[in-house]
Structure formats: structure tokens, C-alpha cells
Amino acid sequence: VQEFTVNFKGLSKTIKAPKGSDLLAAAIRAGLILNTACGGEGLCGKCRVIVKKGNIRDERSKFINDRDRKKGFVLACQTLIEGDLEVEVPKESLEVHEKIKHESEEFTKGIILKREDGFKFSPFVRKFYVELPPPTLDDNVSDLERIGRELKGSLDKVMLSAKLANVKHLSEVIRESDFKITVVVGYRDGELEMLTVEPGDTTKANYGFAFDIGTTTVVGQLIDLNTKNILGTRIAFNRQSVYGSDVITRIIYGSEPKGLDELNEAVISNISEIIEDLVSANKVNLSDVYVISYAGNMTMMHLLLKIDPTNIRKAPYVPTTTVFPIMHSSGLGIEVSPKGISSFLPGVSTYIGGDIVGGVLACGLYENDEISLLADIGTNGEIVLGNKEWMIGAAASAGPAFEGSGLSFGMKAVRGAIEKVKIDENLNIELGTIGPDKPKGICGSGYIDLLCQMLKRGIITKDGKMNRGIKSGRVRKGAANYEFVVAFKNESSIGKDIIINEDDIENLKRSKGAIYSAIIALLNKVEKKLGDVKKIYIAGGFGNYLNIENAIFIGLLPDADRDVYEFVGNSSLAGARMALLSHEAFEKTNEIYKNITYVDLGSEPNYMDEYIAALFFPHTDLGRFPSVRL
Ligand code: FES
């Protein structure tokens, strides 16, 4: 196939691309992360780039007006390369790695601090400095045994195994460093393994990463394994999104030739970039990162480990495995310490993955005497209900709306996202935006506030339609249907009005309906009432803020006593971090996943009725929401 050169101007990135391939794929290969909220389907209009020179083939899109089209604006995902190109990427089309606000790090740290006392601090990888007595004719045990003997005082389990590769150069290192060495010990399947031996005392440098691999976002945290301190957090859109925004399209793509490789490379590059970014920001050496702990949904784990996910989407929906062995990080193609290891939280089934098991671990649901509930409002919306004796779990097909995906101005909870909205009687709006910039879009918690306020002020009706009779310059007929202007062009940082339209509201309504009805269906399943639930943990990628009151007002969450609610942030990441810091906690996840029974909502007799009844704000039956006054 003929190849052309694509030069991304101003970013000094040039690559070769085959004739007829799309510009989005070229941008990905050039290492650029474009906004691709719809997964390259031409539906979100976010991947706009400007073709300055060269031949292309593209279709007209409603997202590009005539004026912009003349300037060369195209949607990268809908544009095919037909010649050497010079392309400019506008700032707003670039997805940037953002640090989650400090408060949210504090928040997830709060969960673990509250709960970590239950688990002994025993990180997956530990380092011990030893000064070995040199061998003599009387004391002539082997080098490995000598190390084991010295470590006896520090380790509860004395049995220390070592792989052949890890002992080959042992004698050399010991002698070259005058018998003063640091032994790096990793935990693997109930055993302690000597991963490597380093000359001198290197105990101060011992780092690990916790990762939450979500369908929409990948979040990583660098942790000092000596102090438990979180040194930094990074969040990025999952690069697999260009191959499809939901797990099903990715599984389909993964079944194509090379598809699995490409999906795997996409997420590995996400992970590697976050690692590189955080180690360089904290002046940590890559070779001092010895362990990575992952939590993620079942499909994400299959794609991360390059395991064929095909059967996950075929009835009876069986994954290849729900538990994953501890392995060397290098085996995944991730560059950290060459002897570094990776561990993965186990899952229950296709629909309840390690991310949810991690959440159950982090909020302690599995050990509560009373009944509690965890709702993780992510791409899917997983719910676990139970106590220390029993747990049931289900997944609602909520879609990624509350993660900011698939909506006109949706974005994740990072800098520039509107996260709080207040509207007064005169329809004046007060916005709370993450960071110092003017707003760029709206994140999940912003949408919850927005819907609630629009409902309160009569801007939208119970069924989610814009009130045509309202007198305000903010309500107008837009390109697609009626819309409401949240921030005018001059108040935004993207040079255009930020709006919410009736399609967005419909999308959000379906998402909230799916989550609410899943909660009720699980309660029905065990014949319990809302009042029987003493704690409701809400998890999800909402950044540092979620207004529970407003979430109840729109009917996303049931009208329970407010003090049963606790917003726990990214509980999957918290679970991965707990497992990283304590292999006892990791062992606990092996019990948790076995104790959760998966409930298929589709086979529950009343689920569909519940769902349809929930497609109103807050609900068809206002009796279910006594505290909501419309
Ligand atoms: S329009 Fe191109 S990614 Fe959505």
C-alpha cells in the first residue's frame, strides 16, 4: 500500500500512514491523544483538526460549519488520507493528562486510612538491607540460604523462594558489594520470592503503582512503599476508546486480526505514559518501581493481558478467567524494574470485575454486620448489596454519560470541567469549574447539578423536554433540538457556547434510570426495603464532588436518609492501592469475589418495568421520592 507523510504542525510529530487510513489513527500513532468521546464514530465532533495542505477524503459533518470547513477543519476520525498532509491540531481537540484535584486524592486516601488498620502494612514488594557474614569453612551454607537466614528476623514467613534467573548472578553481586546488599522480596501466591539483590543499601527507594483501568479512563497513582504516601495521580482517557467507546465494540474489534494487539498496545501506552510522567515529576528512577497493582473490569483485564475476550459477549457470557496470576511487569511490555511484578484484583463474572471487588474491599461492605450497598457509577453502573454473610451484585447498562462521554459538552472531572451548577429564580447561573480556567465542558457531577436545577426552575419537564414557554435567551432551538446555554461563548474557554440539549438529557435520563432501577431490583431480589440498607457508598469518576441531594432530586439515587450516603470517589483505585500496600488485603479479595453472587437483571421479572418507570425525573411514582418537591 502506498504510504504518505502526515506532519502534525507545531507539535513536531511526523509519521507515515497508509493511503486510505484515517487521520485519527495517524494521530494516535504519532502519540497524540485527541478528544474522542464517541470512540471515532463521527458522533461527538470533538476530534476536530485543521488540514493545512494535502489531499483528503471526508464526508460533510454537522459538527463543522461552512466557515470552518473552508479553513480546513475536519473530523480526524472521518477523514481519510489521500496524500502527504500538513495538519494542525487545535488546543481544545487535545486530551491532556491532568492531575486530579488534590482534594480528591485526599478523599480516596481517606477511605484507605479509615480501613487500613484492619490490614497489616505488608506491601507487595519489600526491601531489606542485610550485611551478610562472609562464609567460612565452618559456616559454609549457600549464598541463598545465607540470605534467608539473615532475613528470618524481618519476615514472618521464612520460606524464600527464588527463580533461577534471580539467583544466577547472586554470588557475584554479593561479593562485589562486600556482602552488604539489599534484598528485594516480592509476594507471589502465598510465597515470598526473592526478586533481585542490589548492592549496598537501596531500601529508601521502593515504589509501586496502583491502576484503575476503566473503559473510559485510566487512572494511575505512584505510591512510596516505605511511607504509603501517594506521590501523584494521573488520569487519561483510555486510548482504546478510538476503537469503540463501550466494551462490546472493543471485544468485536479485539476479535479481528491484529485487533487484540492494537487494543492491548493502546492501553499499555496509556499505562506507560502515566508511569513515565509520574516518575519524572517525582524524580523517581523507573528501576525503583517494583510492583503494579491493577483493578479493572473483566474486558479491560482481558485486553490488558492480551487474553481473547470473544466469549465475554457471546451467550452465556463467559470470560476466559476471572483471576489472573501475578506476573512480571516486563511480560506486559511495561518498563519498570526488570524484576518488577504486577498483580490484578480478581473478579466475579463478566459483569462484576476486579474494579468492583476492589470497591467492596475499599468500603468494607464485605465485613459490615448490617446491609450496605455500593453503587459504582462508571461506564456501566455496577451495584453490590449485602453484608458479611451474603453479597449479590449486578450491572446496569447505564452507559458512560456520567463519565462525561457521549454528550455534547461532556468531559471527565478534570481542569476546565463544570462540576457545580446553581440556577436562581431569574435563571441566572452560577458555575463551579475545576481549576482556574474558564469552563471547557461539563463533567458527571456538573450534569447532575444541572439537571436538578433545570428541573427545579421549570426549564425542563418531568420527562426531560425543554419548556418551550420559558422566557430566557438561554433556552433556544439549536442545531439538533431545543437546548439550554450553560455558559455563553465569552464565558467559556473554547470559543463557543456550552449547551445541554434534549438528546443529552435523554441520554442522562436513561443512565440514571438504569442505575436507580438496578438498585431497586437488587433490593427486590432479596426482599429488602430501602430502609434496611444502613450505608450506601457511591463510587465513580466524579472527581472530588458529588451532590447526593441533587442526585436524589433527579432520581439517580433512591430517596433514602441522607446520612446513609457516603461518596467514596474512585473505589476501584482505592482497592488496587490497598492490595498494593497489604498482601493480606489482596488475599481478602480472593474471598470477596467468591462470596458475591451475580444477578442477571435481564432475567429479573420486574426489572424492565422498574426501568421504564424510572425514565422520568425523578420517577413516574412520586411516592418513591417523598422528599422531592417539584
Ligand atoms: S467525532 Fe471523531 S471521535 Fe467523535
Side-chain angles (χ1 to χ4, degrees):
V1 189
Q2 194 179 359
E3 282 203 325
F4 295 115
T5 307
V6 183
N7 172 13
F8 290 95
K9 274 182 68 191
L11 298 159
S12 24
K13 313 236 175 182
T14 303
I15 56 131
K16 291 253 182 243
K19 180 177 186 255
S21 61
D22 69 69
L23 209 43
L24 178 59
I28 294 168
R29 253 182 301 121
L32 301 175
I33 314 173
L34 297 190
N35 277 318
T36 53
C38 72
E41 305 256 340
L43 299 176
C44 70
K46 303 218 164 186
C47 60
R48 287 155 58 102
V49 296
I50 312 165
V51 177
K52 290 284 188 190
K53 258 192 218 157
N55 286 338
I56 51 160
R57 194 151 36 98
D58 75 327
E59 300 270 321
R60 252 180 185 283
S61 156
K62 65 171 183 185
F63 294 107
I64 314 255
N65 62 29
D66 288 344
R67 212 186 50 216
D68 283 352
R69 199 172 155 81
K70 278 200 195 102
K71 287 188 198 154
F73 273 95
V74 294
L75 294 182
C77 70
Q78 301 299 311
T79 302
L80 305 181
I81 299 165
E82 295 289 331
D84 291 337
L85 299 182
E86 241 182 60
V87 179
E88 196 180 301
V89 183
K91 214 172 90 210
E92 72 265 17
S93 298
L94 275 179
E95 183 60 48
V96 272
H97 285 197
E98 300 273 4
K99 199 168 189 279
I100 299 176
K101 278 185 83 183
H102 191 61
E103 293 89 319
S104 70
E105 288 175 24
E106 286 301 315
F107 198 90
T108 29
K109 208 155 79 181
I111 304 172
I112 195 168
L113 288 181
K114 246 195 322 189
R115 305 235 336 98
E116 84 189 335
D117 291 347
F119 295 108
K120 204 171 110 210
F121 176 56
S122 53
F124 246 85
V125 171
R126 282 185 285 171
K127 282 181 152 188
F128 301 94
Y129 172 66
V130 287
E131 294 184 3
L132 298 172
T136 61
L137 283 176
D138 294 331
D139 177 18
N140 56 1
V141 299
S142 73
D143 289 342
L144 187 59
E145 239 180 293
R146 190 167 298 274
I147 292 175
R149 202 173 64 184
E150 282 304 302
L151 289 182
K152 252 185 200 167
S154 325
L155 292 172
D156 348 324
K157 288 187 195 165
V158 189
M159 222 6 251
L160 188 69
S161 64
K163 289 250 158 71
L164 178 61
N166 301 352
V167 287
K168 275 198 170 166
H169 303 288
L170 186 60
S171 67
E172 208 177 302
V173 179
I174 293 177
R175 280 157 189 83
E176 273 175 10
S177 50
D178 201 17
F179 292 88
K180 297 182 175 75
I181 52 165
T182 298
V183 190
V184 185
V185 178
Y187 172 83
R188 190 197 281 253
D189 304 330
E191 296 243 317
L192 293 168
E193 180 187 345
M194 188 184 75
L195 297 176
T196 187
V197 163
E198 295 170 349
D201 184 355
T202 66
T203 49
K204 286 218 161 53
N206 187 14
Y207 301 93
F209 271 91
F211 268 97
D212 165 42
I213 311 291
T215 310
T216 313
T217 54
V218 174
V219 190
Q221 266 181 344
L222 172 61
I223 322 267
D224 183 331
L225 296 181
N226 286 319
T227 61
K228 308 185 200 175
N229 283 343
I230 299 170
L231 303 180
T233 307
R234 291 288 185 274
I235 178 165
F237 250 116
N238 188 329
R239 277 207 189 138
Q240 293 172 345
S241 301
V242 295
Y243 303 106
S245 56
D246 55 59
V247 293
I248 300 298
T249 37
R250 292 199 210 155
I251 295 170
I252 294 171
Y253 190 76
S255 313
E256 286 180 17
K258 294 233 179 94
L260 188 53
D261 289 347
E262 287 178 34
L263 288 163
N264 174 264
E265 279 160 26
V267 69
I268 296 292
S269 71
N270 271 141
I271 295 166
S272 302
E273 258 173 42
I274 289 177
I275 291 177
E276 278 163 30
D277 194 16
L278 280 172
V279 294
S280 77
N282 289 281
K283 302 197 171 49
V284 164
N285 289 327
L286 261 187
S287 55
D288 293 328
V289 175
Y290 297 92
V291 55
I292 307 175
S293 167
Y294 293 98
N297 66 50
M298 206 52 82
T299 306
M300 289 307 111
M301 285 300 109
H302 277 58
L303 299 178
L304 173 63
L305 292 161
K306 236 198 254 188
I307 301 172
D308 180 8
T310 311
N311 287 313
I312 290 181
R313 68 173 268 268
K314 287 190 188 153
Y317 314 107
V318 182
T320 303
T321 172
T322 62
V323 289
F324 308 92
I326 290 166
M327 58 185 285
H328 280 290
S329 302
S330 57
L332 284 171
I334 291 180
E335 219 179 294
V336 284
S337 160
K339 299 293 181 192
I341 53 174
S342 282
S343 74
F344 312 87
L345 297 191
V348 179
S349 69
T350 282
Y351 300 104
I352 305 281
D355 48 350
I356 306 305
V357 169
V360 170
L361 172 78
C363 66
L365 186 145
Y366 68 94
E367 59 172 11
N368 291 349
D369 292 328
E370 292 175 315
I371 297 174
S372 44
L373 185 140
L374 166 69
D376 190 340
I377 305 173
T379 307
N380 235 341
E382 289 89 358
I383 324 279
V384 177
L385 175 74
N387 59 18
K388 64 179 184 194
E389 272 147 30
W390 56 270
M391 286 181 278
I392 56 172
S397 325
F402 290 110
E403 292 201 320
S405 236
L407 303 171
S408 311
F409 286 87
M411 64 182 286
K412 57 187 189 287
V414 295
R415 207 167 142 155
I418 296 172
E419 60 167 356
K420 289 184 194 176
V421 181
K422 267 200 185 136
I423 306 179
D424 70 15
E425 298 84 6
N426 302 320
L427 308 192
N428 296 316
I429 298 198
E430 202 185 300
L431 300 175
T433 307
I434 303 179
D437 308 347
K438 284 182 174 177
K440 201 162 129 183
I442 310 167
C443 69
S445 42
Y447 276 112
I448 291 170
D449 277 14
L450 183 58
L451 287 176
C452 166
Q453 299 286 303
M454 289 169 80
L455 205 55
K456 273 191 177 161
R457 301 296 169 211
I459 301 165
I460 53 170
T461 54
K462 261 185 85 183
D463 59 355
K465 290 283 172 262
M466 214 64 79
N467 181 350
R468 270 63 167 162
I470 212 143
K471 299 234 173 335
S472 162
R474 291 190 181 268
V475 178
R476 65 190 187 197
K477 176 97 181 66
N481 45 41
Y482 270 81
E483 60 189 30
F484 177 78
V485 183
V486 184
F488 285 106
K489 188 173 167 179
N490 61 335
E491 299 159 335
S492 81
S493 68
I494 48 172
K496 53 183 167 183
D497 298 346
I498 296 175
I499 59 108
I500 179 170
N501 62 28
E502 288 178 337
D503 287 347
D504 298 334
I505 298 170
E506 184 61 28
N507 210 331
L508 288 158
K509 193 172 75 178
R510 286 175 194 279
S511 286
K512 76 98 193 164
I515 289 160
Y516 173 83
S517 45
I519 294 175
I520 302 301
L522 280 193
L523 284 169
N524 290 345
K525 178 87 187 165
V526 287
E527 296 176 353
K528 296 285 175 204
K529 295 200 178 56
L530 194 54
D532 297 325
V533 183
K534 300 298 175 213
K535 199 89 206 154
I536 302 181
Y537 306 99
I538 303 297
F542 291 109
N544 64 332
Y545 166 81
L546 172 73
N547 188 317
I548 298 280
E549 198 64 45
N550 291 352
I552 294 172
F553 199 92
I554 65 166
L556 164 66
L557 301 174
D559 197 351
D561 280 350
R562 304 311 187 249
D563 53 5
V564 305
Y565 278 104
E566 190 177 337
F567 173 50
V568 294
N570 187 337
S571 62
S572 163
L573 183 67
R577 194 174 53 234
M578 283 173 76
L580 177 75
L581 291 171
S582 168
H583 55 71
E584 272 181 30
F586 178 76
E587 282 306 332
K588 187 52 83 180
T589 62
N590 282 322
E591 279 172 36
I592 293 173
Y593 91 86
K594 288 178 192 145
N595 289 341
I596 299 176
T597 307
Y598 172 67
V599 176
D600 175 27
L601 290 176
S603 335
E604 287 305 299
N606 298 322
Y607 175 69
M608 214 45 208
D609 296 340
E610 278 292 343
Y611 173 66
I612 290 166
L615 293 179
F616 282 86
F617 295 115
H619 197 269
T620 330
D621 175 8
L622 276 179
R624 299 244 192 129
F625 287 82
S627 75
V628 173
R629 300 257 174 277
L630 271 179

